[in-house]
Amino acid sequence: MESNDGDNILLNLTTEQPYSVAIIKKTKSRQSDSTKKPRHVKLTQGSAKCKNVHKNKVSEDANSEKFQVISSLFRKNPKLPDISSAVIQSEDKKEDGTFSGSEFRNMNLAPFMISNLEKNLHLKKMTSVQKASLPSLLSGKDVFIKSPTGTGKTLAYVIPVVQSLQDILPKIQRIDGPYCLILVPTRELASQTLTVIQQVLKPFIWIVPGCVTGGEKRKSEKARLRKGVNILVATPGRLVDHLKTTQCLTMAQLKWLILDEADRLLDLGFEQDISFILSTIKEHTSRKVQKVLLSATLSRGVENLLDVSMENPVTIDLTKEGNSEREQVEYQTPSLLEQFCVVVPMKLRLVTLAAFLQRKYLKNCKIIVFFTTQDSVDFHFVLYSSTLTTVEGDKLKFLKLHGKLSQHERTEVFSNFKDSDQGILLCTDVAARGLDLPSVNWIVQYNPPVSSTDYVHRVGRTARIGMSGQALLFLLPTEVPYLNILSEQNLRY
């Protein structure tokens, strides 16, 4: 760079004082280019010796030393702490218990249901959670399902719901209103759940599903509810709004109530909304409503919700800690998940993440990177999408997802990433719960999550339904004790 008087400033970063400066004076010559002779200017820069300058370039002299420019980014890094072997998991080969040996055709399901599952959804064998829960759900019992993320919990309740509704004679009509109500914490999960329901309902066209979520136009939702919806997927806040203002929405025919991702519903502060919904259902429904509660973790809040909303529920716990004390929160990661940790000084985090993403992208990987804040997502998205390229010079495919985006933008990003075979999604925890994004190879946590629950749900976006996956956690040297917290919850590396 140049100072105001036209001097050239060189940074010598190889000395003990990394930012020492050498100033080279520009000299104007009145001689023509053909008669111009090199001028020798004496420089003083610490212990540096004289150098020759010709046409503003430093030339070598017999008594001079070379200037080697090395960025201070890679010098004087803090000493990295040792990681105790107690927080590192053994190298024993993991066994995947996601799928059972039983097939859907062995269950008491409608022939059209079995045919649709096998031919259209390409599902023959049940997962372990489906095998354990279907008999109780088909028999009309209240059920609490505690299972790791990515084990097929959505189909575990969708199949019994559709089976029971298609059995009703005479056939149900859309103007009857909701027979099943499914509460989910986020708009993205609501959209995903609705898609699964539509796939299972393909042979049963007289059963109409629908969705009401925050961010959508109330007017269009009211028109949809007025026409009639038999299976209603909703976020609690928007449903409460419709229960108070939409007269055509009635719960008189309700047979099923499902609370998916119950721990997240409570974390997001929907406890009062859920209480209002439960009291409204009790007030307007004389029949017994079969209830299903699903959660990847068991906290005290979930236990209280169980006591309030369910009667003698059947508990299906497929985690390794299923027999431990209920007062302690229990966590479980996917069995085929490989977990990695990298300890990086603050000044190297940006380039380390960039190098990792570029390398994995060139291997056709699908990656999700979690950040703590929306501003951090925006910053890294702008920086990386404009600078990182492939060997051929093509830009890497980056997408971003957080709560400040409009509903249309969030839906478009979610669909785009879900349908792609390669790409990098930068997001906040809005994408950490319940979303089924196929074939995600890597989960990167650029900032450690606040709680172990968030950690479980973040890494649960990969290694889903019997597939393998990897998770990488970035830590500062001062954050290494965070591994001890994970180790206490059996979340070891």
Side-chain angles (χ1 to χ4, degrees):
M1 59 184 176
E2 294 189 0
S3 60
N4 293 332
D5 59 357
D7 299 336
N8 281 347
I9 301 177
L10 302 181
L11 298 184
N12 181 3
L13 306 181
T14 60
T15 60
E16 289 300 318
Q17 298 178 353
Y19 293 105
S20 55
V21 179
I23 300 179
I24 303 176
K25 295 285 185 180
K26 283 185 178 179
T27 58
K28 296 182 180 180
S29 175
R30 296 181 180 178
Q31 298 177 347
S32 64
D33 293 340
S34 60
T35 60
K36 189 182 295 184
K37 296 181 180 179
R39 295 177 59 86
H40 299 272
V41 182
K42 187 174 182 180
L43 306 177
T44 303
Q45 193 252 330
S47 60
K49 297 181 179 181
C50 296
K51 295 185 180 292
N52 297 327
V53 178
H54 179 46
K55 295 180 181 180
N56 297 331
K57 294 184 179 179
V58 180
S59 61
E60 295 184 20
D61 186 77
N63 297 323
S64 67
E65 296 180 354
K66 291 184 178 180
F67 279 82
Q68 183 180 7
V69 179
I70 301 177
S71 172
S72 63
L73 186 67
F74 303 103
R75 300 177 62 249
K76 295 187 177 180
N77 291 315
K79 183 179 179 181
L80 300 182
D82 295 329
I83 299 178
S84 171
S85 59
V87 301
I88 302 175
Q89 64 184 0
S90 64
E91 296 296 328
D92 296 339
K93 185 177 180 181
K94 297 181 180 181
E95 295 182 359
D96 177 35
T98 301
F99 284 95
S100 66
S102 301
E103 298 183 353
F104 284 107
R105 61 175 55 253
N106 297 330
M107 302 299 295
N108 186 23
L109 299 175
F112 286 115
M113 172 80 75
I114 296 173
S115 176
N116 182 45
L117 292 173
E118 293 181 350
K119 294 181 179 180
N120 297 325
L121 277 69
H122 308 290
L123 296 173
K124 290 187 177 181
K125 291 186 177 181
M126 295 182 286
T127 64
S128 298
V129 66
Q130 291 163 3
K131 179 184 177 181
S133 60
L134 282 178
S136 298
L137 291 172
L138 290 171
S139 63
K141 298 178 181 178
D142 289 356
V143 176
F144 167 61
I145 300 175
K146 178 177 179 290
S147 178
T149 58
T151 53
K153 293 194 292 291
T154 302
L155 274 178
Y157 65 78
V158 170
I159 291 175
V161 167
V162 175
Q163 174 66 27
S164 67
L165 297 187
Q166 66 87 32
D167 268 342
I168 298 177
L169 293 175
K171 290 182 179 181
I172 65 175
Q173 301 179 24
R174 64 182 304 172
I175 60 174
D176 294 341
Y179 282 82
C180 173
L181 175 61
I182 303 172
L183 296 180
V184 295
T186 64
R187 290 171 271 182
E188 288 75 20
L189 183 54
S191 175
Q192 175 183 291
T193 303
L194 180 62
T195 301
V196 174
I197 295 172
Q198 290 170 336
Q199 292 172 341
V200 177
L201 281 176
K202 194 171 183 179
F204 314 107
I205 59 175
W206 64 90
I207 303 175
V208 180
C211 181
V212 292
T213 61
E216 296 289 347
K217 294 182 179 179
R218 288 182 175 87
K219 187 175 180 180
S220 61
E221 289 182 344
K222 287 178 181 291
R224 194 180 309 133
L225 294 173
R226 194 176 298 113
K227 291 180 180 179
V229 173
N230 301 131
I231 301 178
L232 181 60
V233 184
T235 52
R238 179 52 63 91
L239 179 62
V240 168
D241 186 15
H242 281 295
L243 288 174
K244 292 179 178 179
T245 61
T246 306
Q247 295 181 355
C248 61
L249 179 59
T250 174
M251 296 293 169
Q253 301 292 336
L254 197 68
K255 293 173 61 69
W256 290 83
L257 174 63
I258 297 163
L259 284 76
D260 200 355
E261 297 287 346
D263 50 351
R264 184 61 171 169
L265 286 170
L266 297 177
D267 291 342
L268 293 177
F270 288 128
E271 187 172 357
Q272 289 186 350
D273 291 335
I274 293 174
S275 298
F276 178 83
I277 293 169
L278 292 175
S279 62
T280 302
I281 292 173
K282 187 175 181 181
E283 180 182 350
H284 292 87
T285 306
S286 57
R287 69 177 72 186
K288 180 185 182 299
V289 177
Q290 185 175 352
K291 301 180 181 68
V292 185
L293 192 148
L294 304 97
S295 178
T297 59
L298 180 59
S299 62
R300 194 170 297 277
V302 175
E303 287 186 356
N304 294 336
L305 188 58
L306 279 171
D307 296 335
V308 171
S309 62
M310 308 183 79
E311 299 177 5
N312 301 321
V314 176
T315 299
I316 297 173
D317 190 348
L318 298 184
T319 61
K320 294 179 180 179
E321 298 82 9
N323 296 324
S324 62
E325 293 296 326
R326 295 185 66 186
E327 287 77 8
Q328 182 180 0
V329 180
E330 305 156 1
Y331 301 97
Q332 178 82 25
T333 55
S335 58
L336 293 182
L337 174 70
E338 292 184 86
Q339 302 175 78
F340 301 91
C341 173
V342 57
V343 180
V344 187
M346 176 64 75
K347 61 182 178 180
L348 294 178
R349 286 167 62 86
L350 199 63
V351 294
T352 303
L353 178 61
F356 176 85
L357 295 179
Q358 189 173 41
R359 184 178 182 87
K360 295 303 178 182
Y361 186 89
L362 296 178
K363 294 183 178 180
N364 296 321
C365 286
K366 202 170 178 180
I367 309 166
I368 300 178
V369 186
F370 283 100
F371 297 91
T372 302
T373 65
Q374 298 169 350
D375 290 339
S376 184
V377 171
D378 290 334
F379 168 79
H380 289 86
F381 176 78
V382 172
L383 177 65
Y384 288 156
S385 60
S386 60
T387 57
L388 296 185
T389 62
T390 63
V391 178
E392 294 79 12
D394 299 328
K395 294 289 183 67
L396 273 60
K397 181 180 179 180
F398 281 93
L399 298 169
K400 67 176 181 179
L401 183 65
H402 57 63
K404 279 187 178 179
L405 300 179
S406 67
Q407 180 59 36
H408 174 73
E409 290 174 319
R410 290 169 66 170
T411 302
E412 185 178 0
V413 168
F414 174 71
S415 300
N416 194 349
F417 187 74
K418 182 177 181 179
D419 297 336
S420 64
D421 298 324
Q422 179 188 28
I424 303 170
L425 176 64
L426 311 181
C427 61
T428 57
D429 283 329
V430 72
R433 297 290 186 122
L435 297 186
D436 185 15
L437 299 169
S439 304
V440 174
N441 306 103
W442 280 91
I443 298 296
V444 179
Q445 302 185 73
Y446 193 64
N447 309 105
V450 176
S451 66
S452 299
T453 302
D454 291 333
Y455 178 89
V456 170
H457 284 282
R458 282 182 174 186
V459 300
R461 298 314 98 206
T462 187
R464 299 178 68 82
I465 313 294
M467 299 185 68
S468 60
Q470 293 80 36
L472 176 64
L473 176 65
F474 273 69
L475 291 177
L476 294 169
T478 55
E479 294 175 334
V480 169
Y482 182 80
L483 295 177
N484 296 324
I485 299 175
L486 296 180
S487 177
E488 293 172 0
Q489 306 292 346
N490 290 324
L491 302 174
R492 299 184 180 183
Y493 280 78

